[in-house]
Structures are given as C-alpha cells and as structure tokens.
C-alpha cells in the first residue's frame, strides 16, 4: 500500500479497506472556518497493511469506507471522536459502530480527562511526536510533504494505544465501565433548536409567549444557517434573537433600532414574520431551567466534592463523576422524582457513587 499518495478511486478504496484487518485506526481532516458544515478533506486509516490516506474530496462513492464504518465485527479506533463523527455524519451520512475512543478510555486509567494524541503516544508507546502546525489547508492539492507526514502520524499509533489500554482496563476491572460509557456517549440524543433554545443565556427570564417567539426565531436561524452553509452567528447572534423575543410587537421599521444595520437590512422582513409566527405558536414548551439558588448550589458542590474524592480514590478522571452541568441536572431530576437518574441505578456508577449521591441529596431535602 502506497500510503504517501492520496487514494481517490473507489476500486483503490475497496482494496485498501480489505487489507486493514479487524482493528482500524480512523482519523479525519477537515476545514470549517466560514461554513456551518465541516468540509471533509481527508480520511486517515491505519491497519495491518499500514496507513492509507483517502481523499475525501475525490469523486468517489466511498461505499467500502461506509461498509467498514458500520461493520459491527471490525473495531474502529479514534481519538477525541466528536469532530470525526460530525465529519463522517455530514459527508457519509452514517454513524460508525463498534467505535472506541482512546481519549475516553484513558479517562478510566488516569485523572487526565482529555490528553492529546501525542501525550498518549508518549504515555503508552514511549515515542515522542514532532510538533506540527495547528492550522493547515487540508483542501489544497497536492498536500505538502509535511501535511502527508502529519496525516500519517496522526493515525499510525491508534491501534497500538488501544491494545495497551484495553489490557490495562481489563486488568483494572474497568473494561465494562468504558464500554458502557462509550455506548452512552454514542447514543446521546443530538441537541436541536427545540431543546437548546431554552439554555441560551437569559432565556429563563422570558415569559411563555416570549419563549415561544424565541423558539420560533431559533428554528428559523438554524434553517437559514444550514441553507446558506454559514455559522449561526453569521446570520443573527444569540443576544439579538433575545432582544427580538422580548418585543410584544415587531415591525420591519423597528429593526434598525434593535439589530446591527447589515442584519436588519438582510433579515428584517423575515424576522418580523417569524416573530409573528412565534406569537401564534401553541406548541408545548419545555420547562424553563432557572439557575440554582445558593442553597441548591451548595448541594451540587457537595456532589462535586464527593465525585472528586471517589475519582481520586479510583485514579480516574474527575469529569466522569463530577461535571457541574451533569450534577445540576441530576439534582433537578432527584428533586422532581425523588430518585437518581437511570445511569446511577444500573451500570458502573451504581456501585461507585450512587449511594453517596443519594445520601447527599436525601439529607438536603
């Protein structure tokens, strides 16, 4: 396999994928500066036959790559997979299965939650990687020699790292913990405008009608950003949507006083129409998430302190047990239902912190 050249033809992708074996390192390179969607540039694959670089801009179907990514019998090893998943989902229209993330695996073996790939290469393999440019034009063709070297190196050691991590997790009795957490991460629901509009800064202060208007505005912005393939903030910024949502009535003539001049000129008419749609919206609203008061915040702090203590005792990353946002959600769930969320009633957290957290929450009630 000539891994210094980009693979551009389906026939060569087929041959490459067939030679990689059952455990495959996967990485992506992409560009996203002024677009809503990431622009895929490169797929890096590492397997038994070496490293292959597949040109994501090639006029190919990528059918063999798609088959590999959804094959449950073949393990795909990635590092910090969130952006890779977005690139693959946007470009290939799928979510990989049987995926393992070396960054998450390391969190169950160390108190370091998000180490770099280079740090893991040094930690598990004793190798030191050279420094690379943090910004690169991955869409240029041909790629430079340095780009090719970086792209190869960035995937070359994933399989070996995972081999060592898997054995360490098995010996520590935490392989099942990692598998459970990996599955939970991959199956987490994707946030939509209908769910995250209420989390915008200050949205909880709005009345019901104002929140319906805000939801309508956020829905429109999402569609517009996707349609034009531009970042959300390049349409109408959050703070301006909140200003519009607070208006009882909104006319085109009001826009010049409420929005930046370019925004008002481009979107004033449609925003006034969307505002009226929001006023007429009768769909149910999610409950407003008010900030916790001081007493409630102290309870969450007690949960975080307990989570950190258990993390230190186990030698795992505290983010697995003591994320503030997650614990605030756990607190609200317990206050409403008088029980911990499902992830504490079964799975690895049940025997680690469920009783401790339940005791803190019960005492605070």
């Amino acid at each position: 396999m000539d891994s210094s050249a980009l693979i551009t033809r389906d026939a060569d992708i087929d041959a490459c994928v067939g030679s990689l074996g059952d455990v495959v390192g996967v990485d992506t390179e992409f560009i996203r500066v002024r677009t809503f969607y990431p622009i895929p540039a490169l797929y890096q694959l590492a397997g038994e036959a070496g490293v292959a670089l597949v040109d994501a801009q090639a006029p190919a179907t990528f059918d063999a790559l798609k088959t590999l990514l959804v094959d449950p019998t073949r393990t795909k090893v990635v590092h910090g997979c969130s952006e890779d998943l977005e690139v693959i989902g946007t470009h290939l229209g799928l979510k990989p299965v049987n995926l393992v993330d070396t960054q998450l695996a390391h969190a169950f073996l160390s108190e370091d939650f998000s180490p770099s790939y280079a740090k893991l290469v040094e930690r598990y393999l004793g190798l030191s990687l050279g420094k690379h440019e943090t910004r690169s034009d991955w869409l240029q063709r041909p790629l430079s020699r340095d780009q090719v070297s970086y792209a190869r190196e960035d995937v070359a050691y994933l399989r070996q790292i995972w081999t060592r991590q898997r054995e360490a997790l098995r010996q520590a009795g935490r392989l099942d913990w990692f598998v459970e957490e990996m599955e939970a991460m991959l199956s987490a629901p994707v946030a939509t405008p209908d769910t995250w509009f209420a989390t915008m800064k200050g949205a909880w202060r709005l009345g019901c009608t104002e929140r319906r208007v805000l939801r309508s505005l956020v829905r429109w912005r999402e569609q517009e950003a996707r349609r034009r393939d531009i970042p959300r903030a390049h349409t109408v910024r959050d703070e301006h949507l909140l200003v519009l949502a607070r208006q009882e009535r909104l006319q085109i003539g009001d826009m010049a006083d409420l929005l930046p001049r370019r925004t008002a000129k481009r979107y004033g008419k449609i925003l006034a129409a969307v505002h009226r749609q929001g006023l007429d919206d009768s769909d149910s609203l999610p409950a407003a998430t008010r900030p916790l008061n001081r007493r409630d915040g102290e309870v969450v702090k007690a949960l975080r302190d307990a989570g950190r203590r258990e993390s230190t005792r186990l030698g795992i990353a505290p983010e697995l047990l003591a994320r503030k946002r997650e614990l605030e959600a756990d607190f609200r769930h317990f206050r409403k239902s008088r029980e911990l969320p499902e992830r504490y009633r079964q799975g690895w957290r049940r025997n680690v912190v469920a009783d401790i957290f339940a005791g803190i929450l019960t005492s605070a009630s």
Side-chain angles (χ1 to χ4, degrees), residues 82-150:
S82 60
E83 291 183 331
D84 297 316
L85 291 177
E86 187 175 3
V87 172
I88 291 168
T90 299
H91 185 221
L92 303 180
L94 57 85
K95 179 182 288 187
V97 300
N98 196 6
L99 199 73
V100 296
D101 189 327
T102 57
Q103 197 171 65
L104 182 60
H106 186 71
F108 285 97
L109 297 168
S110 165
E111 295 184 46
D112 189 357
F113 182 69
S114 54
S116 67
Y117 169 72
K119 187 172 183 179
L120 292 191
V121 171
E122 184 174 4
R123 164 74 179 267
Y124 292 99
L125 305 178
L127 301 175
S128 178
L129 301 185
K131 293 185 178 181
H132 301 280
E133 296 182 11
T134 57
R135 293 182 180 273
S136 186
D137 181 6
W138 290 105
L139 296 176
Q140 73 175 9
R141 296 294 182 268
L143 296 177
S144 69
R145 180 176 299 179
D146 286 345
Q147 284 178 308
V148 171
S149 176
Y150 171 82

Side-chain angles (χ1 to χ4, degrees), residues 36 221 225 230-240 263 267:
F36 183 91
R221 183 181 65 177
I230 59 176
R232 295 182 184 95
H234 289 195
T235 57
V236 187
R237 299 179 66 86
D238 283 1
E239 58 266 31
H240 297 138
T263 305
Y267 293 120

Side-chain angles (χ1 to χ4, degrees), residues 14-73:
D14 292 350
C16 161
V17 168
S19 70
L20 293 172
D22 293 333
V23 181
V24 182
V26 178
D27 191 27
T28 66
E29 302 296 345
F30 63 94
I31 296 292
R32 178 161 59 187
V33 178
R34 299 181 182 275
T35 62
F36 183 91
Y37 300 103
I39 303 172
L42 199 65
Y43 292 106
Q44 300 114 286
L45 306 173
E48 294 175 356
V51 175
L53 307 180
V54 177
D55 188 351
Q57 290 291 303
T61 67
F62 303 96
D63 285 344
L65 179 57
K66 294 176 184 177
T67 299
L68 164 67
L69 292 171
V70 298
D71 186 345
T73 69

